[in-house]
Amino acid sequence: MIKYIGSKRRLVPTIVELCQRASAGRPGVALDLFSGTSRVGHALKREGWRVLSCDSNAYAYTLATCYVQADRERVLGHAARLITELQAIAPKAGYFTETFCERSRFIHPTNGARIDAIRERIASLSLEPVLERVVLVSLMEAADRVDSTTGVQMAYLKSWAPRAHKTLELRTPDVLPRAARGAGLAFQGDVLDACDWFGAFAPDADVAYLDPPYNQHSYLGNYHVWESLVRWDKPEVYGIACKRVDCRTRKSRFNSRPKIESAIAEVIGRVRAKTVILSFNDEGMVSRERIEAMLSERFGHEPVVVEHEGNRYVGAKIGIHNPRGQRVGTVGRLRNCEYLFVAGAGAEAMRSELVAA
Ligand SMILES: C[S@@+](CC[C@H](N)C(=O)[O-])C[C@H]1O[C@@H](n2cnc3c(N)ncnc32)[C@H](O)[C@@H]1O
């Protein structure tokens, strides 16, 4: 899976366990409403859960289509054959190479020319949408393995990362078989629309997992190269990082200090699920106390809070530099605490287990 800031890689086993407890150990229906890499939805699908995912960005929707909506038995044979064919295509530099390998330097031009040729071929095939997204995930993940960043696309490294010199290699994504509880679904759009849509579609959801952004940095700006690769709309770009011009206008309320609290409150008020599990950390723009208060108001009881200490994003270790690469700031703290707030039926069950123990 791609490198992704805020991805719940280390927390996935705990999140899956909390979901299982909330549904008395049986696979249920889960809403993953800020799906990002889809690693949470993928892990739940593996356990038999029916997962409905939402994210506002096209690259995340593409990942969710591959990891929660696509079913192995329906797409993988065709996808694997196509990926083998695409791997053999001759390189041909175009928009991607010029924009992201020459004007900026996220990927080495040798790999850029292969990405251009493969992406053009995918576009020319007019594939069925789910199959196309599985193949695009293979390309995005291959590009991610040879990128020259610290994990975000606001900037690239001054000199090529050693992995940037490796040859781009397409691999077949780990598409899972249809889950025991039913077909998954990916939705691209705002989380509030997803709350209404999934509310009508799956009013009996067992768990809603909410993992909103924690700070002012937009995910579209952080992963604009993947957005352009997936959309293949060859947009105008600006700045040293060659961001898509729509990074200036496609803003999320969850990245805004004045708006995030009311945005989280609105999602908590609107989502329909028996249990809500919400991720946040101690550096987020909303305090633990405020989130506890919002969940208490909606469910009529205080949430259970599971704490998890971890390392911060690698950029925190590298420190703050000016555009000439000189260190200009001090490194902040290197550890933080992730909170998982559990409210609703799952929290009641956890409390009664604790009392019985
Ligand atoms: C912390 S990340 C989620 C990480 C994910 N759980 C994972 O493990 O990879 C937050 C996600 O929220 C998405 N997002 C931001 N604003 C949104 C909105 N208004 N509606 C839906 N998704 C949004 C971002 O694109 C980003 O992928």
Side-chain angles (χ1 to χ4, degrees), residues 14-24 26-33 40 44 49-53 181 198 202-210 271-278 299 341-347:
T14 311
I15 296 167
V16 172
E17 191 191 324
L18 292 174
C19 291
Q20 299 277 38
R21 280 197 195 193
S23 70
R26 290 185 300 273
V29 177
L31 314 180
D32 182 9
L33 293 181
V40 173
L44 285 168
W49 285 64
R50 175 178 192 216
V51 181
L52 312 178
S53 295
R181 273 304 297 267
F198 290 156
D204 58 342
D206 295 281
V207 175
Y209 174 59
L210 308 179
V271 69
R272 288 180 69 181
K274 294 176 199 130
T275 299
V276 166
I277 301 178
L278 192 150
F299 288 98
F341 300 86
V342 186

mmCIF file of all heavy atoms in Angstrom, residues 14-24 26-33 40 44 49-53 181 198 202-210 271-278 299 341-347:
data_model
loop_
_atom_site.group_PDB
_atom_site.id
_atom_site.type_symbol
_atom_site.label_atom_id
_atom_site.label_comp_id
_atom_site.label_asym_id
_atom_site.label_seq_id
_atom_site.Cartn_x
_atom_site.Cartn_y
_atom_site.Cartn_z
ATOM 1 N N THR A 14 -5.933 -3.282 16.271
ATOM 2 C CA THR A 14 -6.779 -2.805 17.383
ATOM 3 C C THR A 14 -8.146 -2.374 16.854
ATOM 4 O O THR A 14 -9.184 -2.680 17.456
ATOM 5 C CB THR A 14 -6.102 -1.599 18.086
ATOM 6 O OG1 THR A 14 -4.761 -1.941 18.368
ATOM 7 C CG2 THR A 14 -6.822 -1.217 19.353
ATOM 8 N N ILE A 15 -8.159 -1.678 15.708
ATOM 9 C CA ILE A 15 -9.445 -1.211 15.162
ATOM 10 C C ILE A 15 -10.318 -2.417 14.795
ATOM 11 O O ILE A 15 -11.509 -2.455 15.101
ATOM 12 C CB ILE A 15 -9.212 -0.292 13.933
ATOM 13 C CG1 ILE A 15 -8.461 0.969 14.364
ATOM 14 C CG2 ILE A 15 -10.534 0.074 13.257
ATOM 15 C CD1 ILE A 15 -7.894 1.785 13.209
ATOM 16 N N VAL A 16 -9.700 -3.418 14.164
ATOM 17 C CA VAL A 16 -10.474 -4.617 13.783
ATOM 18 C C VAL A 16 -11.018 -5.303 15.042
ATOM 19 O O VAL A 16 -12.186 -5.693 15.113
ATOM 20 C CB VAL A 16 -9.608 -5.586 12.936
ATOM 21 C CG1 VAL A 16 -10.330 -6.914 12.711
ATOM 22 C CG2 VAL A 16 -9.256 -4.944 11.598
ATOM 23 N N GLU A 17 -10.191 -5.382 16.071
ATOM 24 C CA GLU A 17 -10.649 -6.038 17.301
ATOM 25 C C GLU A 17 -11.817 -5.268 17.921
ATOM 26 O O GLU A 17 -12.805 -5.859 18.363
ATOM 27 C CB GLU A 17 -9.476 -6.134 18.290
ATOM 28 C CG GLU A 17 -9.814 -7.032 19.455
ATOM 29 C CD GLU A 17 -8.797 -6.949 20.573
ATOM 30 O OE1 GLU A 17 -7.589 -6.792 20.279
ATOM 31 O OE2 GLU A 17 -9.234 -7.016 21.745
ATOM 32 N N LEU A 18 -11.720 -3.942 17.915
ATOM 33 C CA LEU A 18 -12.818 -3.141 18.485
ATOM 34 C C LEU A 18 -14.102 -3.337 17.677
ATOM 35 O O LEU A 18 -15.192 -3.429 18.243
ATOM 36 C CB LEU A 18 -12.428 -1.648 18.509
ATOM 37 C CG LEU A 18 -11.310 -1.269 19.488
ATOM 38 C CD1 LEU A 18 -10.920 0.205 19.305
ATOM 39 C CD2 LEU A 18 -11.754 -1.512 20.943
ATOM 40 N N CYS A 19 -13.960 -3.416 16.362
ATOM 41 C CA CYS A 19 -15.150 -3.645 15.520
ATOM 42 C C CYS A 19 -15.757 -5.011 15.843
ATOM 43 O O CYS A 19 -16.982 -5.141 15.984
ATOM 44 C CB CYS A 19 -14.781 -3.581 14.032
ATOM 45 S SG CYS A 19 -14.324 -1.944 13.473
ATOM 46 N N GLN A 20 -14.903 -6.011 15.962
ATOM 47 C CA GLN A 20 -15.407 -7.372 16.235
ATOM 48 C C GLN A 20 -16.134 -7.408 17.577
ATOM 49 O O GLN A 20 -17.196 -8.006 17.710
ATOM 50 C CB GLN A 20 -14.255 -8.395 16.276
ATOM 51 C CG GLN A 20 -13.462 -8.519 14.994
ATOM 52 C CD GLN A 20 -14.125 -9.446 13.971
ATOM 53 O OE1 GLN A 20 -15.340 -9.458 13.822
ATOM 54 N NE2 GLN A 20 -13.320 -10.193 13.238
ATOM 55 N N ARG A 21 -15.556 -6.746 18.579
ATOM 56 C CA ARG A 21 -16.208 -6.724 19.893
ATOM 57 C C ARG A 21 -17.556 -6.029 19.821
ATOM 58 O O ARG A 21 -18.509 -6.419 20.480
ATOM 59 C CB ARG A 21 -15.338 -5.938 20.872
ATOM 60 C CG ARG A 21 -14.194 -6.705 21.418
ATOM 61 C CD ARG A 21 -13.772 -5.932 22.605
ATOM 62 N NE ARG A 21 -12.487 -6.293 23.095
ATOM 63 C CZ ARG A 21 -12.068 -5.896 24.282
ATOM 64 N NH1 ARG A 21 -12.819 -5.143 25.036
ATOM 65 N NH2 ARG A 21 -10.874 -6.243 24.705
ATOM 66 N N ALA A 22 -17.599 -4.964 19.000
ATOM 67 C CA ALA A 22 -18.846 -4.199 18.888
ATOM 68 C C ALA A 22 -19.948 -5.021 18.236
ATOM 69 O O ALA A 22 -21.122 -4.716 18.401
ATOM 70 C CB ALA A 22 -18.599 -2.921 18.092
ATOM 71 N N SER A 23 -19.575 -6.064 17.475
ATOM 72 C CA SER A 23 -20.627 -6.855 16.818
ATOM 73 C C SER A 23 -20.613 -8.288 17.348
ATOM 74 O O SER A 23 -20.876 -9.227 16.607
ATOM 75 C CB SER A 23 -20.442 -6.823 15.298
ATOM 76 O OG SER A 23 -19.307 -7.555 14.961
ATOM 77 N N ALA A 24 -20.289 -8.412 18.613
ATOM 78 C CA ALA A 24 -20.321 -9.700 19.331
ATOM 79 C C ALA A 24 -19.529 -10.783 18.610
ATOM 80 O O ALA A 24 -19.940 -11.937 18.538
ATOM 81 C CB ALA A 24 -21.772 -10.134 19.548
ATOM 82 N N ARG A 26 -19.015 -11.338 15.494
ATOM 83 C CA ARG A 26 -19.423 -11.739 14.133
ATOM 84 C C ARG A 26 -19.062 -10.642 13.143
ATOM 85 O O ARG A 26 -19.139 -9.460 13.472
ATOM 86 C CB ARG A 26 -20.946 -11.938 14.078
ATOM 87 C CG ARG A 26 -21.446 -13.151 14.829
ATOM 88 C CD ARG A 26 -22.951 -13.302 14.606
ATOM 89 N NE ARG A 26 -23.694 -12.126 15.068
ATOM 90 C CZ ARG A 26 -24.124 -11.963 16.315
ATOM 91 N NH1 ARG A 26 -23.903 -12.891 17.225
ATOM 92 N NH2 ARG A 26 -24.787 -10.878 16.660
ATOM 93 N N PRO A 27 -18.713 -10.996 11.894
ATOM 94 C CA PRO A 27 -18.478 -9.942 10.903
ATOM 95 C C PRO A 27 -19.768 -9.180 10.652
ATOM 96 O O PRO A 27 -20.830 -9.787 10.527
ATOM 97 C CB PRO A 27 -18.049 -10.701 9.643
ATOM 98 C CG PRO A 27 -18.016 -12.143 9.984
ATOM 99 C CD PRO A 27 -18.565 -12.355 11.352
ATOM 100 N N GLY A 28 -19.679 -7.869 10.597
ATOM 101 C CA GLY A 28 -20.868 -7.051 10.409
ATOM 102 C C GLY A 28 -20.739 -6.145 9.195
ATOM 103 O O GLY A 28 -20.031 -6.458 8.230
ATOM 104 N N VAL A 29 -21.428 -5.002 9.273
ATOM 105 C CA VAL A 29 -21.374 -3.996 8.204
ATOM 106 C C VAL A 29 -20.638 -2.782 8.778
ATOM 107 O O VAL A 29 -21.010 -2.279 9.845
ATOM 108 C CB VAL A 29 -22.799 -3.585 7.759
ATOM 109 C CG1 VAL A 29 -22.737 -2.492 6.695
ATOM 110 C CG2 VAL A 29 -23.570 -4.800 7.258
ATOM 111 N N ALA A 30 -19.596 -2.340 8.076
ATOM 112 C CA ALA A 30 -18.799 -1.204 8.574
ATOM 113 C C ALA A 30 -18.782 -0.080 7.554
ATOM 114 O O ALA A 30 -18.679 -0.325 6.349
ATOM 115 C CB ALA A 30 -17.372 -1.656 8.855
ATOM 116 N N LEU A 31 -18.857 1.152 8.052
ATOM 117 C CA LEU A 31 -18.658 2.327 7.207
ATOM 118 C C LEU A 31 -17.262 2.853 7.517
ATOM 119 O O LEU A 31 -16.944 3.093 8.683
ATOM 120 C CB LEU A 31 -19.683 3.422 7.531
ATOM 121 C CG LEU A 31 -21.149 2.990 7.667
ATOM 122 C CD1 LEU A 31 -22.021 4.210 7.993
ATOM 123 C CD2 LEU A 31 -21.634 2.319 6.391
ATOM 124 N N ASP A 32 -16.436 3.019 6.486
ATOM 125 C CA ASP A 32 -15.091 3.596 6.675
ATOM 126 C C ASP A 32 -15.154 4.955 5.976
ATOM 127 O O ASP A 32 -15.008 5.037 4.758
ATOM 128 C CB ASP A 32 -14.049 2.665 6.039
ATOM 129 C CG ASP A 32 -12.633 3.174 6.233
ATOM 130 O OD1 ASP A 32 -12.438 4.145 6.989
ATOM 131 O OD2 ASP A 32 -11.706 2.601 5.615
ATOM 132 N N LEU A 33 -15.389 6.010 6.763
ATOM 133 C CA LEU A 33 -15.852 7.261 6.141
ATOM 134 C C LEU A 33 -14.749 8.245 5.736
ATOM 135 O O LEU A 33 -15.038 9.262 5.118
ATOM 136 C CB LEU A 33 -16.877 7.936 7.052
ATOM 137 C CG LEU A 33 -18.187 7.141 7.196
ATOM 138 C CD1 LEU A 33 -19.167 7.874 8.088
ATOM 139 C CD2 LEU A 33 -18.824 6.853 5.843
ATOM 140 N N VAL A 40 -7.849 -0.014 6.545
ATOM 141 C CA VAL A 40 -8.794 -0.449 7.589
ATOM 142 C C VAL A 40 -9.915 -1.272 6.936
ATOM 143 O O VAL A 40 -10.233 -2.382 7.372
ATOM 144 C CB VAL A 40 -9.368 0.774 8.349
ATOM 145 C CG1 VAL A 40 -10.472 0.333 9.299
ATOM 146 C CG2 VAL A 40 -8.254 1.489 9.114
ATOM 147 N N LEU A 44 -10.913 -5.284 7.448
ATOM 148 C CA LEU A 44 -12.252 -5.722 7.866
ATOM 149 C C LEU A 44 -12.864 -6.665 6.832
ATOM 150 O O LEU A 44 -13.482 -7.671 7.178
ATOM 151 C CB LEU A 44 -13.154 -4.500 8.078
ATOM 152 C CG LEU A 44 -12.879 -3.710 9.363
ATOM 153 C CD1 LEU A 44 -13.604 -2.374 9.344
ATOM 154 C CD2 LEU A 44 -13.310 -4.513 10.599
ATOM 155 N N TRP A 49 -16.228 -8.772 6.854
ATOM 156 C CA TRP A 49 -17.145 -7.626 6.988
ATOM 157 C C TRP A 49 -17.533 -7.071 5.624
ATOM 158 O O TRP A 49 -16.729 -7.064 4.685
ATOM 159 C CB TRP A 49 -16.483 -6.503 7.793
ATOM 160 C CG TRP A 49 -16.423 -6.779 9.251
ATOM 161 C CD1 TRP A 49 -15.741 -7.785 9.871
ATOM 162 C CD2 TRP A 49 -17.074 -6.035 10.279
ATOM 163 N NE1 TRP A 49 -15.933 -7.721 11.224
ATOM 164 C CE2 TRP A 49 -16.741 -6.648 11.503
ATOM 165 C CE3 TRP A 49 -17.894 -4.912 10.297
ATOM 166 C CZ2 TRP A 49 -17.215 -6.164 12.720
ATOM 167 C CZ3 TRP A 49 -18.356 -4.425 11.514
ATOM 168 C CH2 TRP A 49 -18.022 -5.062 12.708
ATOM 169 N N ARG A 50 -18.760 -6.572 5.554
ATOM 170 C CA ARG A 50 -19.171 -5.786 4.386
ATOM 171 C C ARG A 50 -18.756 -4.344 4.679
ATOM 172 O O ARG A 50 -19.154 -3.768 5.702
ATOM 173 C CB ARG A 50 -20.682 -5.873 4.240
ATOM 174 C CG ARG A 50 -21.186 -5.001 3.138
ATOM 175 C CD ARG A 50 -22.683 -5.160 2.984
ATOM 176 N NE ARG A 50 -23.067 -4.531 1.758
ATOM 177 C CZ ARG A 50 -24.194 -3.877 1.582
ATOM 178 N NH1 ARG A 50 -25.076 -3.798 2.551
ATOM 179 N NH2 ARG A 50 -24.462 -3.325 0.433
ATOM 180 N N VAL A 51 -17.956 -3.772 3.789
ATOM 181 C CA VAL A 51 -17.395 -2.439 4.056
ATOM 182 C C VAL A 51 -17.906 -1.448 3.008
ATOM 183 O O VAL A 51 -17.854 -1.716 1.802
ATOM 184 C CB VAL A 51 -15.843 -2.480 4.019
ATOM 185 C CG1 VAL A 51 -15.267 -1.103 4.312
ATOM 186 C CG2 VAL A 51 -15.304 -3.507 5.016
ATOM 187 N N LEU A 52 -18.377 -0.298 3.478
ATOM 188 C CA LEU A 52 -18.781 0.795 2.596
ATOM 189 C C LEU A 52 -17.837 1.956 2.893
ATOM 190 O O LEU A 52 -17.748 2.403 4.040
ATOM 191 C CB LEU A 52 -20.233 1.202 2.871
ATOM 192 C CG LEU A 52 -21.256 0.046 2.953
ATOM 193 C CD1 LEU A 52 -22.646 0.572 3.276
ATOM 194 C CD2 LEU A 52 -21.301 -0.731 1.644
ATOM 195 N N SER A 53 -17.109 2.416 1.869
ATOM 196 C CA SER A 53 -16.036 3.393 2.086
ATOM 197 C C SER A 53 -16.352 4.720 1.440
ATOM 198 O O SER A 53 -16.969 4.764 0.380
ATOM 199 C CB SER A 53 -14.738 2.928 1.425
ATOM 200 O OG SER A 53 -14.270 1.780 2.022
ATOM 201 N N ARG A 181 -20.285 -11.142 4.625
ATOM 202 C CA ARG A 181 -21.449 -10.296 4.909
ATOM 203 C C ARG A 181 -21.968 -9.532 3.695
ATOM 204 O O ARG A 181 -22.946 -8.807 3.776
ATOM 205 C CB ARG A 181 -21.115 -9.288 6.032
ATOM 206 C CG ARG A 181 -21.329 -9.804 7.420
ATOM 207 C CD ARG A 181 -22.736 -10.313 7.683
ATOM 208 N NE ARG A 181 -23.790 -9.323 7.571
ATOM 209 C CZ ARG A 181 -24.260 -8.621 8.578
ATOM 210 N NH1 ARG A 181 -23.776 -8.796 9.793
ATOM 211 N NH2 ARG A 181 -25.229 -7.750 8.385
ATOM 212 N N PHE A 198 -25.197 6.341 2.688
ATOM 213 C CA PHE A 198 -25.043 5.024 3.333
ATOM 214 C C PHE A 198 -26.169 4.798 4.350
ATOM 215 O O PHE A 198 -26.570 3.670 4.603
ATOM 216 C CB PHE A 198 -23.688 4.900 4.029
ATOM 217 C CG PHE A 198 -22.501 4.821 3.086
ATOM 218 C CD1 PHE A 198 -21.237 5.189 3.510
ATOM 219 C CD2 PHE A 198 -22.643 4.366 1.785
ATOM 220 C CE1 PHE A 198 -20.137 5.103 2.654
ATOM 221 C CE2 PHE A 198 -21.557 4.279 0.916
ATOM 222 C CZ PHE A 198 -20.302 4.652 1.359
ATOM 223 N N ALA A 202 -27.613 1.393 3.934
ATOM 224 C CA ALA A 202 -27.262 0.394 4.957
ATOM 225 C C ALA A 202 -27.598 0.974 6.333
ATOM 226 O O ALA A 202 -26.718 1.268 7.130
ATOM 227 C CB ALA A 202 -25.777 0.049 4.876
ATOM 228 N N PRO A 203 -28.905 1.142 6.626
ATOM 229 C CA PRO A 203 -29.284 1.816 7.878
ATOM 230 C C PRO A 203 -28.913 1.006 9.123
ATOM 231 O O PRO A 203 -28.929 1.534 10.227
ATOM 232 C CB PRO A 203 -30.807 1.963 7.748
ATOM 233 C CG PRO A 203 -31.225 0.961 6.735
ATOM 234 C CD PRO A 203 -30.066 0.741 5.825
ATOM 235 N N ASP A 204 -28.585 -0.274 8.902
ATOM 236 C CA ASP A 204 -28.292 -1.149 10.040
ATOM 237 C C ASP A 204 -26.788 -1.321 10.259
ATOM 238 O O ASP A 204 -26.357 -2.314 10.837
ATOM 239 C CB ASP A 204 -28.920 -2.525 9.768
ATOM 240 C CG ASP A 204 -28.379 -3.127 8.454
ATOM 241 O OD1 ASP A 204 -27.818 -2.344 7.637
ATOM 242 O OD2 ASP A 204 -28.498 -4.351 8.250
ATOM 243 N N ALA A 205 -25.956 -0.379 9.792
ATOM 244 C CA ALA A 205 -24.500 -0.575 9.909
ATOM 245 C C ALA A 205 -24.129 -0.831 11.367
ATOM 246 O O ALA A 205 -24.661 -0.194 12.279
ATOM 247 C CB ALA A 205 -23.769 0.648 9.376
ATOM 248 N N ASP A 206 -23.204 -1.755 11.572
ATOM 249 C CA ASP A 206 -22.788 -2.073 12.942
ATOM 250 C C ASP A 206 -21.819 -1.021 13.467
ATOM 251 O O ASP A 206 -21.908 -0.606 14.617
ATOM 252 C CB ASP A 206 -22.122 -3.460 12.967
ATOM 253 C CG ASP A 206 -23.115 -4.536 12.603
ATOM 254 O OD1 ASP A 206 -23.900 -4.910 13.479
ATOM 255 O OD2 ASP A 206 -23.138 -4.958 11.430
ATOM 256 N N VAL A 207 -20.849 -0.664 12.606
ATOM 257 C CA VAL A 207 -19.796 0.253 13.064
ATOM 258 C C VAL A 207 -19.546 1.314 12.008
ATOM 259 O O VAL A 207 -19.530 1.008 10.804
ATOM 260 C CB VAL A 207 -18.462 -0.521 13.289
ATOM 261 C CG1 VAL A 207 -17.342 0.443 13.650
ATOM 262 C CG2 VAL A 207 -18.610 -1.569 14.377
ATOM 263 N N ALA A 208 -19.344 2.552 12.448
ATOM 264 C CA ALA A 208 -18.808 3.587 11.555
ATOM 265 C C ALA A 208 -17.433 3.945 12.100
ATOM 266 O O ALA A 208 -17.299 4.276 13.285
ATOM 267 C CB ALA A 208 -19.704 4.813 11.530
ATOM 268 N N TYR A 209 -16.419 3.823 11.240
ATOM 269 C CA TYR A 209 -15.068 4.211 11.649
ATOM 270 C C TYR A 209 -14.770 5.581 11.044
ATOM 271 O O TYR A 209 -14.840 5.757 9.819
ATOM 272 C CB TYR A 209 -14.034 3.164 11.178
ATOM 273 C CG TYR A 209 -12.626 3.615 11.470
ATOM 274 C CD1 TYR A 209 -12.221 3.891 12.771
ATOM 275 C CD2 TYR A 209 -11.702 3.797 10.442
ATOM 276 C CE1 TYR A 209 -10.939 4.342 13.039
ATOM 277 C CE2 TYR A 209 -10.421 4.243 10.708
ATOM 278 C CZ TYR A 209 -10.047 4.515 12.011
ATOM 279 O OH TYR A 209 -8.784 4.978 12.286
ATOM 280 N N LEU A 210 -14.460 6.545 11.896
ATOM 281 C CA LEU A 210 -14.216 7.921 11.441
ATOM 282 C C LEU A 210 -12.753 8.272 11.706
ATOM 283 O O LEU A 210 -12.302 8.225 12.851
ATOM 284 C CB LEU A 210 -15.093 8.914 12.219
ATOM 285 C CG LEU A 210 -16.595 8.629 12.276
ATOM 286 C CD1 LEU A 210 -17.298 9.703 13.108
ATOM 287 C CD2 LEU A 210 -17.180 8.592 10.880
ATOM 288 N N VAL A 271 -24.171 10.423 11.226
ATOM 289 C CA VAL A 271 -23.843 9.060 10.810
ATOM 290 C C VAL A 271 -24.816 8.062 11.455
ATOM 291 O O VAL A 271 -25.239 8.254 12.595
ATOM 292 C CB VAL A 271 -22.362 8.735 11.168
ATOM 293 C CG1 VAL A 271 -22.141 8.639 12.666
ATOM 294 C CG2 VAL A 271 -21.917 7.466 10.480
ATOM 295 N N ARG A 272 -25.182 7.031 10.672
ATOM 296 C CA ARG A 272 -26.108 6.034 11.224
ATOM 297 C C ARG A 272 -25.362 4.719 11.393
ATOM 298 O O ARG A 272 -25.076 4.030 10.419
ATOM 299 C CB ARG A 272 -27.303 5.868 10.292
ATOM 300 C CG ARG A 272 -28.202 7.085 10.361
ATOM 301 C CD ARG A 272 -29.387 6.961 9.449
ATOM 302 N NE ARG A 272 -30.344 5.951 9.891
ATOM 303 C CZ ARG A 272 -31.455 5.671 9.215
ATOM 304 N NH1 ARG A 272 -31.733 6.289 8.090
ATOM 305 N NH2 ARG A 272 -32.286 4.754 9.669
ATOM 306 N N ALA A 273 -25.052 4.390 12.628
ATOM 307 C CA ALA A 273 -24.389 3.115 12.940
ATOM 308 C C ALA A 273 -24.569 2.866 14.431
ATOM 309 O O ALA A 273 -24.694 3.812 15.205
ATOM 310 C CB ALA A 273 -22.902 3.194 12.595
ATOM 311 N N LYS A 274 -24.564 1.569 14.798
ATOM 312 C CA LYS A 274 -24.792 1.249 16.215
ATOM 313 C C LYS A 274 -23.607 1.682 17.072
ATOM 314 O O LYS A 274 -23.750 2.051 18.220
ATOM 315 C CB LYS A 274 -25.019 -0.260 16.367
ATOM 316 C CG LYS A 274 -26.308 -0.711 15.699
ATOM 317 C CD LYS A 274 -26.461 -2.234 15.769
ATOM 318 C CE LYS A 274 -27.466 -2.684 14.730
ATOM 319 N NZ LYS A 274 -26.967 -3.780 13.896
ATOM 320 N N THR A 275 -22.413 1.576 16.494
ATOM 321 C CA THR A 275 -21.198 1.967 17.226
ATOM 322 C C THR A 275 -20.394 2.931 16.369
ATOM 323 O O THR A 275 -20.292 2.725 15.157
ATOM 324 C CB THR A 275 -20.324 0.712 17.504
ATOM 325 O OG1 THR A 275 -21.076 -0.194 18.316
ATOM 326 C CG2 THR A 275 -19.025 1.060 18.201
ATOM 327 N N VAL A 276 -19.853 3.964 16.992
ATOM 328 C CA VAL A 276 -18.939 4.858 16.278
ATOM 329 C C VAL A 276 -17.552 4.710 16.901
ATOM 330 O O VAL A 276 -17.407 4.727 18.132
ATOM 331 C CB VAL A 276 -19.404 6.331 16.365
ATOM 332 C CG1 VAL A 276 -18.304 7.286 15.919
ATOM 333 C CG2 VAL A 276 -20.648 6.542 15.491
ATOM 334 N N ILE A 277 -16.550 4.512 16.036
ATOM 335 C CA ILE A 277 -15.153 4.499 16.497
ATOM 336 C C ILE A 277 -14.474 5.664 15.799
ATOM 337 O O ILE A 277 -14.496 5.757 14.568
ATOM 338 C CB ILE A 277 -14.449 3.171 16.137
ATOM 339 C CG1 ILE A 277 -15.193 1.991 16.770
ATOM 340 C CG2 ILE A 277 -12.992 3.186 16.593
ATOM 341 C CD1 ILE A 277 -14.612 0.621 16.429
ATOM 342 N N LEU A 278 -13.910 6.575 16.576
ATOM 343 C CA LEU A 278 -13.323 7.780 15.981
ATOM 344 C C LEU A 278 -11.843 7.857 16.362
ATOM 345 O O LEU A 278 -11.490 7.714 17.528
ATOM 346 C CB LEU A 278 -14.075 9.003 16.503
ATOM 347 C CG LEU A 278 -13.808 10.334 15.806
ATOM 348 C CD1 LEU A 278 -15.046 11.224 15.870
ATOM 349 C CD2 LEU A 278 -12.644 11.100 16.394
ATOM 350 N N PHE A 299 -24.655 9.927 22.070
ATOM 351 C CA PHE A 299 -25.001 8.566 22.518
ATOM 352 C C PHE A 299 -25.534 8.502 23.953
ATOM 353 O O PHE A 299 -25.935 7.448 24.412
ATOM 354 C CB PHE A 299 -23.787 7.641 22.369
ATOM 355 C CG PHE A 299 -23.486 7.333 20.921
ATOM 356 C CD1 PHE A 299 -22.512 8.034 20.232
ATOM 357 C CD2 PHE A 299 -24.205 6.365 20.238
ATOM 358 C CE1 PHE A 299 -22.247 7.776 18.893
ATOM 359 C CE2 PHE A 299 -23.945 6.093 18.897
ATOM 360 C CZ PHE A 299 -22.971 6.796 18.218
ATOM 361 N N PHE A 341 -11.727 6.591 20.131
ATOM 362 C CA PHE A 341 -12.918 6.828 20.950
ATOM 363 C C PHE A 341 -13.988 5.837 20.477
ATOM 364 O O PHE A 341 -14.296 5.787 19.279
ATOM 365 C CB PHE A 341 -13.459 8.237 20.720
ATOM 366 C CG PHE A 341 -12.488 9.338 21.066
ATOM 367 C CD1 PHE A 341 -11.552 9.776 20.133
ATOM 368 C CD2 PHE A 341 -12.524 9.940 22.315
ATOM 369 C CE1 PHE A 341 -10.663 10.799 20.439
ATOM 370 C CE2 PHE A 341 -11.632 10.968 22.625
ATOM 371 C CZ PHE A 341 -10.701 11.400 21.688
ATOM 372 N N VAL A 342 -14.549 5.086 21.402
ATOM 373 C CA VAL A 342 -15.603 4.126 21.033
ATOM 374 C C VAL A 342 -16.887 4.546 21.738
ATOM 375 O O VAL A 342 -16.890 4.719 22.965
ATOM 376 C CB VAL A 342 -15.234 2.689 21.471
ATOM 377 C CG1 VAL A 342 -16.270 1.684 20.956
ATOM 378 C CG2 VAL A 342 -13.841 2.316 20.997
ATOM 379 N N ALA A 343 -17.971 4.733 20.969
ATOM 380 C CA ALA A 343 -19.244 5.139 21.577
ATOM 381 C C ALA A 343 -20.386 4.354 20.951
ATOM 382 O O ALA A 343 -20.278 3.882 19.825
ATOM 383 C CB ALA A 343 -19.468 6.632 21.369
ATOM 384 N N GLY A 344 -21.488 4.216 21.706
ATOM 385 C CA GLY A 344 -22.638 3.460 21.203
ATOM 386 C C GLY A 344 -22.613 2.044 21.755
ATOM 387 O O GLY A 344 -21.985 1.771 22.797
ATOM 388 N N ALA A 345 -23.241 1.113 21.028
ATOM 389 C CA ALA A 345 -23.394 -0.261 21.529
ATOM 390 C C ALA A 345 -22.046 -0.900 21.878
ATOM 391 O O ALA A 345 -21.924 -1.604 22.882
ATOM 392 C CB ALA A 345 -24.116 -1.094 20.475
ATOM 393 N N GLY A 346 -21.026 -0.649 21.058
ATOM 394 C CA GLY A 346 -19.708 -1.243 21.286
ATOM 395 C C GLY A 346 -19.114 -0.801 22.615
ATOM 396 O O GLY A 346 -18.490 -1.592 23.327
ATOM 397 N N ALA A 347 -19.332 0.459 22.969
ATOM 398 C CA ALA A 347 -18.780 0.969 24.226
ATOM 399 C C ALA A 347 -19.516 0.330 25.402
ATOM 400 O O ALA A 347 -18.901 -0.050 26.411
ATOM 401 C CB ALA A 347 -18.924 2.488 24.265
#
